[in-house]
Amino acid sequence: MTNARQLAAEAAAQIADRLGGGFDATVVLGTGWDDAVAELGELEKQISTTELAGFPASRVEGHGGTVGAVAAGDRRLLVYRGRVHLYEGNSAAAVTHGVRTAAAAGCGVAVLTNAAGGLQPHYRVGGPVLISDQINLTGTSPTEGTEWGTDRFVNLVDAYSPRLRALAADTSPATPEGVYAGLRGPHFETPAEIQMLRNMGADLVGMSTVLEAIAARHCGLEVLGVSLVTNLAAGMTDEGPSHQEVLDAGAASGMAVGRLLRGVIDRL
Ligand code: HPA
């Protein structure tokens, strides 16, 4: 049976063939971050991830399912538009295949973006928040299973790189930081669950990113995480969150948050 490392190496070889090499960083654009790609740099070429080994089809509206080579100044980026989620019925291995493939393709940095509900009333809807740490509530890990050796016990202290967070703060000084809680979803949370998350120390809630961050650290990548706050979390407003609201907030802010990412890339 092909293991995760072999599958990532296979996909990376296909990327080298189709998109070339010399990648410095990978950027995973989450829900609503699609417009950010234009601000990152020049999209040289892109293909559907389903043309590569190991990627399942993504069917969520707002998730493109492509991977492209973007020239950002003298940096070369491997940019995923759309990601794979647990809630589509995928395994932790499938969810993290893109990050592992990026590492195998030579990237040293992973920029993970997402749409999130904000638990802090002062967060601006449509604004970015730098992820300072995470709480993995998915009940799974990309390093469980039979294929990993003792390196599976990955150290997650400073998982979100202090160096990259400082670069982001330098680019955009007023950007707040927060702890991201990753749940399986796909239902939105109840107000009681949001209260529980607040008591746990979470500032942001979403349905992605946490497994990718673990896999990225396992592969030795430096990680920057940025959430776009698309709504205040359940119970904080009269109406609960909706998928349309998440997409709309992303569409309205994609370009501005793209500029933040480009600022960090330029300072790498
Ligand atoms: N909860 C979970 N995931 C989300 C939310 C939310 O409120 N907003 C965007 N993604």
Side-chain angles (χ1 to χ4, degrees):
M1 205 180 99
T2 315
N3 71 30
R5 271 200 188 102
Q6 290 165 341
L7 202 56
E10 200 180 317
Q14 292 169 322
I15 284 176
D17 197 36
R18 303 285 305 276
L19 301 176
F23 294 107
D24 300 288
T26 186
V27 181
V28 180
L29 296 175
T31 311
W33 281 78
D34 244 21
D35 291 345
V37 76
E39 299 301 319
L40 282 177
E42 192 191 330
L43 180 62
E44 293 173 345
K45 215 174 190 188
Q46 77 174 5
I47 57 177
S48 166
T49 49
T50 54
E51 295 174 52
L52 301 174
F55 285 89
S58 172
R59 284 177 297 275
V60 185
E61 197 192 334
H63 295 267
T66 63
V67 60
V70 171
D74 54 6
R75 303 284 177 192
R76 200 143 196 271
L77 309 177
L78 186 68
V79 179
Y80 291 97
R81 297 162 88 175
R83 55 152 59 87
V84 177
H85 295 89
L86 283 176
Y87 62 68
E88 294 159 293
N90 298 298
S91 64
V95 165
T96 53
H97 177 56
V99 162
R100 291 196 190 282
T101 296
C107 297
V109 167
V111 179
L112 306 176
T113 71
N114 58 46
L119 276 67
Q120 292 288 355
H122 66 269
Y123 284 168
R124 188 170 65 79
V125 171
V129 177
L130 303 175
I131 302 178
S132 58
D133 204 348
Q134 71 179 29
I135 303 174
N136 172 16
L137 293 169
T138 65
T140 186
S141 169
T143 67
E144 73 176 25
T146 53
E147 71 175 279
W148 308 108
T150 51
D151 77 336
R152 74 173 74 228
F153 301 110
V154 53
N155 179 356
L156 294 177
V157 175
D158 285 339
Y160 292 90
S161 160
R163 181 182 86 91
L164 296 181
R165 279 152 57 199
L167 294 184
D170 188 40
T171 305
S172 182
T175 313
E177 289 205 338
V179 173
Y180 177 92
L183 281 68
R184 297 181 75 100
H187 50 274
F188 288 111
E189 302 70 35
T190 64
E193 287 164 344
I194 293 300
Q195 185 57 47
M196 172 192 74
L197 295 173
R198 192 176 286 117
N199 292 346
M200 283 181 164
D203 304 300
L204 300 157
V205 60
M207 306 173 192
S208 68
T209 308
V210 290
L211 301 181
E212 291 157 60
I214 295 168
R217 293 304 299 138
H218 188 225
C219 296
L221 300 182
E222 245 188 311
V223 177
L224 178 70
V226 189
S227 289
L228 177 66
V229 176
T230 54
N231 56 279
L232 291 178
M236 295 175 68
T237 57
D238 291 342
E239 311 221 329
S242 74
H243 188 55
Q244 192 56 48
E245 174 186 37
V246 171
L247 295 181
D248 291 348
S253 316
M255 277 163 56
V257 289
R259 281 193 287 275
L260 166 67
L261 296 190
R262 176 60 195 262
V264 175
I265 304 290
D266 285 341
R267 289 168 171 79
L268 278 180

